[in-house]
């Protein structure tokens, strides 16, 4: 039987998908992919977002190697792309599961067969908890782990799960935060109170501790290292106090392991370092890294902060996105306007960068001396600072930051090889 992932190839190409060739309307995605059209001569409309097939493959391999070398399990954050094809590629490379942030995203993952989900939020919505209870009860192999950071939240979870008649407990990890940061308990005492509340709730089971170091105010390596050691100290203290239950404890379909988890895309080297210091506990420990932006990387923030800049011997990441747009106006000297704007471009962490210029004859040069200094809804303002100004009709390739707000704007993204051949399409669900 065809899986849900296979069935994506049967989706009909039509007006819903930006940038695709008008003459492809009525074909399936699989049929269009099989044509191996060229991006520049195959009828694609500008603006069109592309993913480099080579860069995606390189990045997947880079984190697979890093986690293996450091003895880490890996649950990459899927909310970056919400692309089931990429989820599956990560699972095929040994990922423990996929990290997600809200119930809708979990439903998407389950629709495409993801067997393990780390929900990096406290789940207090009764409708979502009712759905989760039914999903767990229907599939003994499905495993969902979510945050808990308040007694009130634990009480709401317990009430909703009891009302839903849940037969399997929901696994939770106490989330550690930091003063001035995002979600999570502030310190060991609050963590103990939450753990006590979980123990009193028959519908929940405490399986570990976790958090996210990326929201530490003024984060640097020392601050992240100190916070990570608070997290591992909490895990040791909880284990010593028997808060994870007796050895061998677990829920059906879940091993009796202790999860200790952190890791965004900026500090996964420090996370790996401190998780490597974690002493032996009373049962096996799942040291779970959750970095997600690495798949596509970017041409801005993540390129600047990737840990591989600090430890190049560990690997490298390559920007995979290019948004190809076209010059439609040269209204005054030194100014060109292209036909992509806020509706197409990620801009929350800075303006896009002009990477390349391609003229109608197919000649391509780099974007040196060109910069985007302003965006309107459907236009970007490109200034020429001493570089060769693009002409009306030229295509410009833009690099962007950051991945989470790029994927969300494009429901079907061509996967392109270095010679411009479109080999497949990546479907997103936001």
């Amino acid at each position: 039987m065809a899986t849900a992932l296979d069935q994506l190839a049967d989706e009909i190409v039509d007006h819903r998908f930006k940038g695709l060739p008008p003459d492809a309307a009525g074909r399936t995605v699989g049929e269009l992919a099989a044509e191996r059209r060229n991006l520049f001569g195959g009828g694609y409309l500008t603006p069109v977002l592309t993913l480099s097939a080579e860069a995606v493959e390189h990045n997947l391999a880079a984190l697979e190697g890093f986690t293996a070398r450091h003895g880490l399990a890996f649950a990459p954050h899927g909310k970056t792309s919400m692309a089931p094809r990429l989820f599956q590629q990560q699972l095929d490379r040994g990922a423990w599961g996929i990290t997600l942030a809200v119930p809708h995203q979990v439903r998407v993952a389950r629709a495409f067969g993801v067997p393990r989900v780390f929900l990096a939020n406290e789940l207090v919505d009764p409708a979502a908890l009712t759905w989760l209870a039914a999903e767990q009860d229907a599939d003994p192999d499905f495993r969902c782990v979510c945050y808990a950071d308040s007694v009130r939240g634990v009480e709401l979870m317990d009430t909703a799960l009891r009302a839903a008649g849940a037969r399997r407990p929901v696994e939770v990890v106490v989330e550690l935060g930091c003063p001035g940061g995002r979600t999570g308990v502030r310190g060991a005492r609050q963590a103990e109170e939450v753990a006590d509340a979980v123990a009193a709730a028959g519908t929940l089971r405490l399986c570990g501790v976790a958090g996210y170091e990326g929201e530490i105010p003024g984060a640097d390596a020392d601050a992240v290292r100190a916070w990570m050691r608070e997290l591992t100290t909490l895990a040791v203290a909880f284990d010593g106090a028997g808060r994870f239950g007796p050895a061998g404890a677990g829920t059906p379909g879940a091993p009796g392991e202790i999860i200790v988890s952190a890791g965004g895309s900026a500090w996964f080297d420090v996370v790996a370092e401190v998780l490597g210091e974690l002493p032996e506990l009373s049962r096996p420990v799942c040291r779970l890294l959750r970095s997600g932006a690495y798949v596509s990387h970017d041409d801005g923030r993540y390129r600047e902060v990737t840990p591989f800049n600090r430890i190049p011997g560990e690997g490298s990441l390559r920007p995979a996105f290019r948004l190809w747009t076209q010059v439609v106006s040269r209204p005054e000297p030194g100014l060109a306007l292209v036909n992509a704007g806020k509706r197409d471009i990620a801009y929350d962490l800075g303006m896009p960068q002009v990477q390349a210029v391609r003229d109608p004859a197919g000649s391509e040069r780099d974007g040196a001396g060109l910069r985007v200094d302003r965006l309107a809804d459907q236009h970007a303002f490109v200034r020429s600072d001493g570089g060769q100004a693009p002409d009306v009709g030229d295509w410009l390739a833009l690099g962007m930051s950051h991945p989470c707000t790029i994927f969300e704007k494009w429901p079907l993204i061509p996967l392109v090889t270095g010679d411009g051949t479109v080999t497949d399409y990546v479907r997103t669900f936001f």
Side-chain angles (χ1 to χ4, degrees):
M1 292 179 62
T3 67
L5 201 61
D6 295 332
Q7 291 169 1
L8 288 178
D10 297 329
E11 193 163 15
I12 299 297
V13 173
D14 57 24
H15 59 277
R16 294 171 296 162
F17 303 121
K18 300 190 291 184
L20 299 194
D23 68 357
R27 292 175 173 80
T28 67
V29 170
E31 289 168 346
L32 182 57
E35 292 179 5
R36 296 296 194 267
R37 295 195 185 198
N38 184 272
L39 180 70
F40 306 107
Y44 292 86
L45 304 177
T46 58
V48 58
L49 180 69
T50 66
L51 275 170
S52 162
E54 294 89 350
V56 168
E57 185 64 22
H58 172 89
N59 295 344
L60 288 168
L63 261 291
E64 179 187 19
F66 180 85
T67 54
R69 287 192 300 276
H70 291 274
L72 302 173
F74 192 31
H77 217 314
K79 60 92 177 175
T80 300
S81 69
M82 286 306 298
R85 172 197 170 103
L86 297 179
F87 294 174
Q88 190 59 53
Q89 288 180 271
Q90 291 165 321
L91 293 170
D92 289 344
R93 287 180 171 273
W96 174 95
I98 300 296
T99 297
L100 297 161
V102 294
H104 154 70
Q105 296 168 357
V106 181
R107 292 188 65 210
V108 171
R110 287 299 291 159
F112 289 90
V114 173
R116 296 189 195 92
V117 169
F118 188 101
L119 179 57
N121 249 329
E122 188 169 64
L123 184 59
V124 296
D125 182 339
L129 286 160
T130 298
W131 173 83
L132 177 59
E135 194 75 6
Q136 286 197 152
D137 291 343
D139 183 356
D141 294 324
F142 171 47
R143 188 176 182 195
C144 181
V145 177
C146 68
Y147 278 167
D149 79 345
S150 69
V151 172
R152 169 67 172 163
V154 168
E155 291 171 348
L156 289 171
M157 294 177 74
D158 185 46
T159 298
L161 290 168
R162 287 182 185 278
R167 297 194 300 272
R168 279 177 58 190
V170 170
E171 294 184 89
V172 298
V173 291
V174 171
E175 182 194 5
L176 178 68
C178 64
R182 204 166 64 182
T183 54
V185 298
R186 281 11 183 194
R189 182 166 182 173
Q190 285 187 20
E192 292 167 359
E193 292 171 354
V194 174
D196 287 342
V198 172
T203 59
L204 304 174
R205 185 180 79 83
L206 184 65
C207 66
V209 297
Y212 173 55
E213 75 289 345
E215 290 294 331
I216 296 172
D220 60 18
D222 288 340
V224 171
R225 192 173 288 111
W227 178 86
M228 278 297 303
R229 286 177 178 147
E230 286 186 44
L231 183 70
T232 55
T233 296
L234 186 63
V236 171
F238 275 16
D239 185 49
R243 291 186 180 278
F244 300 124
T251 57
E257 64 187 6
I258 298 169
I259 293 175
V260 184
S261 179
S265 295
W267 298 103
F268 58 74
D269 56 333
V270 179
V271 170
E273 172 195 331
V274 179
L275 288 179
E277 299 170 356
L278 191 63
E280 186 174 330
L281 301 182
S282 66
R283 68 179 71 173
V285 176
C286 176
R287 296 167 172 83
L288 188 62
L289 185 72
R290 305 197 309 274
S291 311
Y294 81 97
V295 175
S296 60
H297 202 42
D298 73 2
D299 280 294
R301 172 174 170 78
Y302 287 110
R303 184 177 65 180
E304 295 167 359
V305 303
T306 175
F308 291 148
N309 289 341
R310 297 186 289 272
I311 45 170
E314 284 276 22
S316 64
L317 296 174
R318 300 175 185 171
F321 282 118
R322 275 195 167 182
L323 179 69
W324 286 96
T325 183
Q326 193 169 30
V327 178
V328 294
S329 179
R330 284 280 307 278
E332 58 189 62
L335 173 63
L337 286 102
V338 298
N339 63 345
K342 294 177 182 178
R343 302 185 188 281
D344 314 295
I345 295 170
Y347 58 93
D348 57 317
L349 291 179
M351 289 292 104
Q353 303 172 14
V354 181
Q355 300 291 331
V357 180
R358 183 183 178 92
D359 68 26
S363 177
E364 193 170 314
R365 65 181 188 273
D366 68 36
L370 301 177
R371 62 180 171 85
V372 177
D373 70 354
R374 185 156 69 92
L375 298 177
D377 283 351
Q378 301 287 181
H379 294 93
F381 293 68
V382 180
R383 299 285 178 180
S384 176
D385 294 331
Q388 182 181 347
D391 205 351
V392 171
D394 287 350
W395 283 33
L396 270 62
L398 303 181
M400 297 168 290
S401 179
H402 76 296
C404 296
T405 52
I406 299 173
F407 277 107
E408 70 178 13
K409 299 176 186 298
W410 292 86
L412 195 62
I413 305 170
L415 192 69
V416 183
T417 61
D419 66 359
T421 302
V422 179
T423 61
D424 212 338
Y425 298 83
V426 174
R427 183 72 158 96
T428 65
F429 291 86
F430 283 93

